Amino acid sequence: GQQQLTDKSTTKMAAGKSFLSILCFAAVLASAVSDPPVAQLIRTVVTKVHQETRHGQVNLYPANTARNQQDYFQWKYSPGWTSGFFPGMLWMAANLTADHELSDLAHAYTAGRASVANDTSTHDVGFMIFCSFGQGVLYGGRAAEYTSTILHAAQSLATRYNPVVGMTRSWGSNKDNKTFEVIIDNLINLELLLWAAAHGGSSAWYDMAVSHADKTAQWWIRPDGSTFHLVVFDPITGAVLNRSGTPQGYAVNSTWARGQAWGIYGFTMLYRYTRLPRYLDYAATLYTSWAAHVANWVPLWDYDAPPSQPYRDTSSSAIVASALIELDGYRPTAGYLTAAKAIVSALGARYQGGSHSDAVLVANAHDCGDNMCTVIETDYYFLEALLRLQRL
């Protein structure tokens, strides 16, 4: 998705007074976590998440950081495709701390995304709704309040499914009869369809998700386990028109590191809902390729990034770390948990923004122009990885 950034807001919510209680609870929680680095990172993330809410404006959704005049990296805000991530972070932080103020804030930020459930113009309805409302169900116990919104959003996403292509459209209008563009990121949005199908929605949504996933495996995965980013189909015949697209990567036949991570995470998630073993095989294949192109657990933003663009991509690592913790639960002898812990440790040791940034992690220069800037999905999946480690 493309982000439209703004610093403007129209609604305000007074910040609460329980910040010290959050820190105290986080310290107690940390003492129960067996891995001290993870415990320390949990405290850091909870603190940063709460600090971001202290401006009191619950309709500001962090998208990426940018350098200000004081050489500090502030969040820039967007109501676009990334806007579900911060509400989701609040739900995870509230779950980790059992803090009612954070839970109330999570609910307020999530409520601001409700209208997105009507959006049939983008596949990103999955990111925007399931990362907010879905996390509210998973970590906030809000199923009674949120299920109807999730089902409505799934219906909106289902309108982008083309039975001839066998996939949901990522980019462009449903009325486009010339091209049907699909990106690998769309695997993540399938969780919206799968969860909704299992909670009162149409069983056809499950079939749509499985068809989309199988087509992704067929047309996106190269023989060496790397992936394309974009494949373009003929919406009338279903034929592939173009399979050499990596628009967010370096070149048409290169591999975008975050796209590879979406594939690992997406196929792992698909196994959770379907129990079809082939999805574990796809996730494992993609991870083997990703690991072969990583130095010290954080890849370049593209496998073929030139020396003139030697930018690391911490978002890719955070997404993979979270996926590997789940994948290890299905294949516990493959060493995935060890790798996930190593990734989390590397991110925490070398890529924290500290007192120079609103964000927890840094290093997404390809996205936002500076080695100290980042995108919100990096912190979201990093927090999810920490929460999953804490629950082991």
Side-chain angles (χ1 to χ4, degrees):
Q2 296 297 315
Q3 300 170 355
Q4 296 179 347
L5 303 182
T6 176
D7 289 304
K8 297 180 180 179
S9 64
T10 57
T11 63
K12 293 186 177 182
M13 180 176 183
K17 300 179 180 179
S18 62
F19 188 38
L20 289 177
S21 68
I22 292 172
L23 293 180
C24 291
F25 188 92
V28 172
L29 172 66
S31 67
V33 180
S34 59
D35 186 345
V38 170
Q40 180 181 358
L41 291 169
I42 287 173
R43 290 196 298 271
T44 298
V45 178
V46 169
T47 300
K48 290 263 189 178
V49 168
H50 190 275
Q51 286 175 340
E52 172 52 28
T53 69
R54 300 185 81 181
H55 53 59
Q57 298 169 340
V58 299
N59 65 328
L60 294 182
Y61 299 97
N64 67 266
T65 56
R67 189 191 301 268
N68 65 15
Q69 292 180 347
Q70 288 74 44
D71 204 32
Y72 180 84
F73 283 79
Q74 290 180 296
W75 282 121
K76 295 292 185 179
Y77 303 101
S78 170
W81 80 272
T82 60
S83 58
F85 288 127
F86 189 71
M89 290 183 70
L90 283 165
W91 283 120
M92 289 187 277
N95 184 274
L96 280 165
T97 61
D99 183 85
H100 294 299
E101 184 197 353
L102 276 178
S103 181
D104 290 343
L105 285 164
H107 179 63
Y109 274 84
T110 297
R113 297 291 75 207
S115 63
V116 175
N118 302 315
D119 192 349
T120 61
S121 69
T122 174
H123 71 123
D124 289 323
V125 64
F127 276 114
M128 292 185 282
I129 291 296
F130 208 79
C131 291
S132 54
F133 285 87
Q135 296 294 56
V137 171
L138 180 60
Y139 295 118
R142 299 279 183 143
E145 299 169 73
Y146 288 175
T147 295
S148 62
T149 300
I150 297 172
L151 291 176
H152 192 175
Q155 179 62 58
S156 295
L157 181 57
T159 67
R160 299 185 64 78
Y161 182 81
N162 180 322
V164 177
V165 178
M167 307 191 82
T168 57
R169 185 192 295 265
S170 298
W171 295 340
S173 168
N174 284 337
K175 297 179 181 179
D176 184 348
N177 289 322
K178 295 182 178 179
T179 60
F180 189 99
E181 296 179 312
V182 185
I183 56 176
I184 196 167
D185 320 33
N186 212 345
L187 276 177
I188 310 300
N189 294 310
L190 300 181
E191 184 167 12
L192 175 62
L193 296 176
L194 291 165
W195 189 94
H199 293 85
S202 171
S203 61
W205 298 344
Y206 174 96
D207 296 333
M208 292 176 186
V210 169
S211 175
H212 185 112
D214 289 343
K215 291 283 187 177
T216 303
Q218 178 182 1
W219 294 113
W220 271 257
I221 302 176
R222 302 185 181 109
D224 65 356
S226 65
T227 54
F228 293 105
H229 178 220
L230 168 69
V231 176
V232 183
F233 297 87
D234 184 319
I236 303 300
T237 68
V240 172
L241 299 178
N242 189 322
R243 200 165 75 103
S244 59
T246 308
Q248 289 178 248
Y250 174 64
V252 292
N253 287 305
S254 66
T255 301
W256 180 44
R258 190 182 307 145
Q260 189 79 7
W262 290 139
I264 297 165
Y265 190 103
F267 283 123
T268 302
M269 173 274 294
L270 276 150
Y271 177 78
R272 185 198 322 150
Y273 285 94
T274 68
R275 298 294 159 169
L276 296 172
R278 61 180 178 268
Y279 295 137
L280 295 183
D281 293 338
Y282 301 148
T285 296
L286 267 58
Y287 171 67
T288 298
S289 171
W290 184 89
H293 290 83
V294 168
N296 298 318
W297 299 109
V298 179
L300 293 170
W301 65 279
D302 189 282
Y303 283 9
D304 300 322
S308 61
Q309 300 179 37
Y311 312 131
R312 296 288 165 182
D313 186 347
T314 52
S315 72
S316 179
S317 295
I319 295 163
V320 170
S322 185
L324 291 180
I325 297 164
E326 179 173 4
L327 188 56
D328 185 82
Y330 308 134
R331 291 189 172 175
T333 62
Y336 295 133
L337 182 59
T338 299
K341 288 180 176 179
I343 294 170
V344 167
S345 179
L347 291 172
R350 300 199 304 275
Y351 293 96
Q352 286 197 60
S355 61
H356 302 288
S357 176
D358 284 341
V360 178
L361 299 178
V362 300
N364 286 108
H366 174 65
D367 292 271
C368 42
D370 194 294
N371 282 327
M372 276 294 293
C373 76
T374 196
V375 289
I376 186 63
E377 54 264 41
T378 305
D379 278 5
Y380 175 92
Y381 286 100
F382 187 57
L383 177 55
E384 185 178 70
L386 292 170
L387 188 151
R388 287 177 166 183
L389 286 174
Q390 188 269 335
R391 287 185 163 189
L392 292 177

